[in-house]
Amino acid sequence: DTGVSQDPRHKITKRGQNVTFRCDPISEHNRLYWYRQTLGQGPEFLTYFQNEAQLEKSRLLSDRFSAERPKGSFSTLEIQRTEQGDSAMYLCASSFSLGEGDNSPLHFGNGTRLTVT
Amino acid sequence: GQSLEQPSEVTAVEGAIVQINCTYQTSGFYGLSWYQQHDGGAPTFLSYNALDGLEETGRFSSFLSRSDSYGYLLLQELQMKDSASYFCALPRGKLIFGQGTELSVKP
């Protein structure tokens, strides 16, 4: 168990550019989650997968955001036409969960810090 | 929808006991979780309550009252390393997090 890893750790981009982040979950985990966190706030849910199926996407998420988990292992989060308001820490987490009310803890990666200039 | 409320910050001294409260609103309750996040670090799981009462894990305990939609995290024998943000969260497929309570432990 090497934990959840995210790449890159930091990304600086200019407004209007596209960026893509990668997350490698704990290998035996079936669920993978993406969150966004800004300073002084709690993690804000973006989307999550069970195996390769995307089960839910936040209604707050614009169409510029898309996530994939093609083989049920690693996942990518792409932000198109970045805006300054997208600057945040993007956190990935994974868990082995059996249902909606499952209490299996989420294991978080160290995040990708995005700065849009 | 779901929502959680917790105090934005709490200050306490080393060796003391501190309680971080959380009230929530949700349709369909499955439990209340607590996470810790140090500055610059990833959130890490602390505890989970599905039923009313107190769950103890070392210096940390978590309490739940489902009838009051209320829970708290109790930290005893505070240490400097406990300075961090603490989040209550509702499991609903994904986890819905509160805004967090920043705990500062002073010498």
Side-chain angles (χ1 to χ4, degrees):
Chain A
D1 178 356
T2 56
V4 177
S5 62
Q6 293 187 243
D7 184 68
R9 289 297 306 275
H10 304 273
K11 178 70 177 178
I12 300 174
T13 191
K14 293 186 176 180
R15 188 162 48 96
Q17 297 295 304
N18 299 344
V19 294
T20 300
F21 310 140
R22 178 180 169 119
C23 172
D24 287 89
I26 293 171
S27 57
E28 59 267 28
H29 285 179
N30 60 345
R31 285 196 176 175
L32 185 148
Y33 310 79
W34 285 100
Y35 286 84
R36 175 171 62 189
Q37 188 175 28
T38 53
L39 198 62
Q41 301 296 311
E44 175 192 8
F45 169 73
L46 296 179
T47 188
Y48 83 104
F49 295 82
Q50 180 155 308
N51 300 314
E52 65 274 10
Q54 188 172 20
L55 294 190
E56 189 175 343
K57 183 175 175 180
S58 169
R59 286 170 292 175
L60 302 175
L61 210 59
S62 82
D63 291 341
R64 296 184 297 106
F65 287 71
S66 62
E68 294 184 341
R69 194 184 183 197
K71 297 181 180 178
S73 56
F74 74 93
S75 175
T76 57
L77 177 70
E78 181 183 20
I79 310 173
Q80 296 182 327
R81 304 181 302 282
T82 52
E83 302 172 355
Q84 288 188 322
D86 297 332
S87 295
M89 177 71 83
Y90 289 82
L91 293 166
C92 176
S94 69
S95 71
F96 183 78
S97 298
L98 299 176
E100 185 175 11
D102 187 89
N103 67 329
S104 300
L106 269 59
H107 297 257
F108 283 85
N110 287 318
T112 293
R113 181 168 296 284
L114 173 66
T115 303
V116 182
T117 62
Chain B
Q2 298 81 40
S3 66
L4 303 104
E5 284 194 22
Q6 42 182 140
S8 58
E9 52 186 44
V10 171
T11 301
V13 295
E14 238 179 334
I17 299 172
V18 72
Q19 179 174 311
I20 298 173
N21 299 319
C22 173
T23 56
Y24 59 85
Q25 290 186 337
T26 183
S27 55
F29 179 77
Y30 297 102
L32 188 69
S33 297
W34 289 91
Y35 282 73
Q36 178 192 60
Q37 186 178 29
H38 285 100
D39 220 18
T44 56
F45 173 77
L46 287 178
S47 69
Y48 171 79
N49 295 70
L51 302 175
D52 291 350
L54 194 68
E55 294 281 342
E56 298 183 58
T57 310
R59 295 188 297 114
F60 293 4
S61 303
S62 56
F63 172 82
L64 176 66
S65 169
R66 288 174 296 172
S67 61
D68 296 320
S69 297
Y70 163 75
Y72 65 72
L73 182 69
L74 191 74
L75 296 83
Q76 302 182 67
E77 301 171 18
L78 279 174
Q79 302 176 9
M80 299 295 290
K81 67 178 182 179
D82 297 328
S83 293
S85 292
Y86 292 85
F87 299 94
C88 55
L90 293 170
R92 290 286 300 187
K94 72 281 186 183
L95 266 183
I96 303 297
F97 285 87
Q99 294 303 295
T101 299
E102 185 175 354
L103 171 64
S104 297
V105 180
K106 307 293 186 187

